[in-house]
């Protein structure tokens, strides 16, 4: 066990500015996005634009991750990713999405997802998930990864390593003609080998010109996820594995999701497109 004290909310700094010449997603300034009614299968031009967005998101995440160290605030990680995306002409997709106030999500230790960057100071032994999405040329690219801060205990290291492997296995399971529930079946069967929980209520999703298209990609073996994968479909796979229960609580901020037993959790994510033979990852740096 890590022995770290549980997290508490920090102070949130003012919203960062975005130059006026950078195109905003349609939901910025609105309480919610306009529901997506377009296709889940994208043409080659859209996919190539998503590859650019995905590359910028992956590079921004890598740049922020370089600053992960004891004593650094999660708000500082947000600043680094924000400035990287702005410098590359991209809009940080989370900024203003349903009122989210920051340019990435920073989820530490027992936080499953959607942690808000703030004055929280990273500690030696923390595990840190960064979730970065970039919007450019009218499309989104979404990825996340969990990083080690300083000297991390072995149990947490293994959780991070195995969560990354669960994503790798899930990507390899993608094939046209298969139902989308094969993704969750592969993740859940792998996680069960180690007694990990698999978060059920937060899932992968369709992504394209819309941040969340409405397509759901569960990370457990759901009998309802019967959508058949077809070439050109674009979506995320983003398994969240826990050392204990998959059940969760939410902080009063309406965003930060923590494990109900407050045990640690890790997550990894890629945006991908289904090809004729498998999957092509669009969020590569």
């Amino acid at each position: 066990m890590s022995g770290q004290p549980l997290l508490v909310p920090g102070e949130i700094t003012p919203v960062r500015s975005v130059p006026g010449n950078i195109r905003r997603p349609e939901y910025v300034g609105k309480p919610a996005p306009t529901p997506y009614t377009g296709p889940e299968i994208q043409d080659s031009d859209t996919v190539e634009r998503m590859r650019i967005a995905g590359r910028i998101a992956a590079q921004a995440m890598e740049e922020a991750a370089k600053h992960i160290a004891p004593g650094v605030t999660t708000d500082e990680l947000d600043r680094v990713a924000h400035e990287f995306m702005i410098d590359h002409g991209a809009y940080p997709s989370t900024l203003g999405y349903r009122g989210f106030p920051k340019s990435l999500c920073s989820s530490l230790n027992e936080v499953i997802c959607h942690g808000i960057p703030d004055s929280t100071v990273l500690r030696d032994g923390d595990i840190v998930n960064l979730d970065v999405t970039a919007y450019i040329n009218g499309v989104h690219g979404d990825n996340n990864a969990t990083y080690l801060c300083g000297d991390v205990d072995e149990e947490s290291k293994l959780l991070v390593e195995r969560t990354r492997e669960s994503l790798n296995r899930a990507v390899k399971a993608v094939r046209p003609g298969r139902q989308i529930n094969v993704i969750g079946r592969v993740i859940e069967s792998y996680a069960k080998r180690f007694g990990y929980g698999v978060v059920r209520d937060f899932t992968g999703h369709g992504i394209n010109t819309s941040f969340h298209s409405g397509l759901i990609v569960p990370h457990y073996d759901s009998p309802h996820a019967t959508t058949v994968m077809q070439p050109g479909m674009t979506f995320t796979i983003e398994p969240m594995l826990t050392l204990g229960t998959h059940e969760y609580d939410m902080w009063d901020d309406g965003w930060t999701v923590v494990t109900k037993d407050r045990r640690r959790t890790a997550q990894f994510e890629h945006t991908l497109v289904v090809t004729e033979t498998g999957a092509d990852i669009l969020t590569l740096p």
Side-chain angles (χ1 to χ4, degrees), residues 78-265:
D78 180 80
R79 181 194 66 78
V80 172
H82 177 93
E83 292 183 358
F84 185 95
M85 285 185 273
I86 296 307
D87 288 346
H88 288 77
Y91 185 92
S93 300
T94 59
L95 186 61
Y97 180 79
R98 297 184 181 272
F100 192 83
K102 290 294 174 180
S103 298
L104 58 70
C105 299
S106 55
S107 302
L108 280 56
N109 301 339
E110 70 268 21
V111 179
I112 295 172
C113 58
H114 303 160
I116 301 174
D118 58 18
S119 61
T120 297
V121 175
L122 300 182
R123 303 162 297 188
D124 186 58
D126 284 342
I127 59 173
V128 184
N129 179 267
L130 300 181
D131 193 334
V132 180
T133 309
Y135 177 79
I136 189 170
N137 297 326
V139 296
H140 300 267
D142 185 2
N143 71 159
N144 76 55
T146 304
Y147 300 90
L148 309 181
C149 180
D151 185 17
V152 174
D153 67 279
E154 188 66 16
E155 184 178 46
S156 297
K157 285 181 181 176
L158 287 172
L159 174 67
V160 171
E161 179 183 309
R162 291 163 176 168
T163 305
R164 181 191 291 111
E165 175 62 16
S166 77
L167 172 60
N168 293 341
R169 290 176 179 231
V171 170
K172 290 175 182 175
V174 171
R175 289 285 188 283
R178 290 181 175 176
Q179 291 184 348
I180 219 156
N181 57 13
V182 70
I183 293 168
R185 189 175 308 133
V186 165
I187 292 168
E188 186 173 42
S189 63
Y190 180 71
K192 278 184 174 179
R193 288 167 49 181
F194 311 104
Y196 295 155
V198 181
V199 172
R200 301 168 76 89
D201 292 337
F202 300 90
T203 68
H205 54 88
I207 184 171
N208 38 66
T209 58
S210 173
F211 194 172
H212 299 88
S213 73
L215 176 68
I216 301 299
V217 184
H219 302 121
Y220 63 99
D221 187 4
S222 169
H224 306 295
T226 55
T227 300
V228 174
M229 292 182 275
Q230 301 177 60
M233 288 180 69
T234 50
F235 52 82
T236 72
I237 303 176
E238 44 187 299
M240 292 151 262
L241 305 187
T242 69
L243 290 176
T245 182
H246 69 270
E247 296 180 346
Y248 67 92
D249 294 320
M250 187 175 288
W251 283 3
D252 291 343
D253 61 22
W255 283 105
T256 307
V257 179
V258 295
T259 54
K260 188 169 280 291
D261 57 11
R262 303 304 191 265
R263 297 195 70 191
R264 287 189 164 189
T265 175

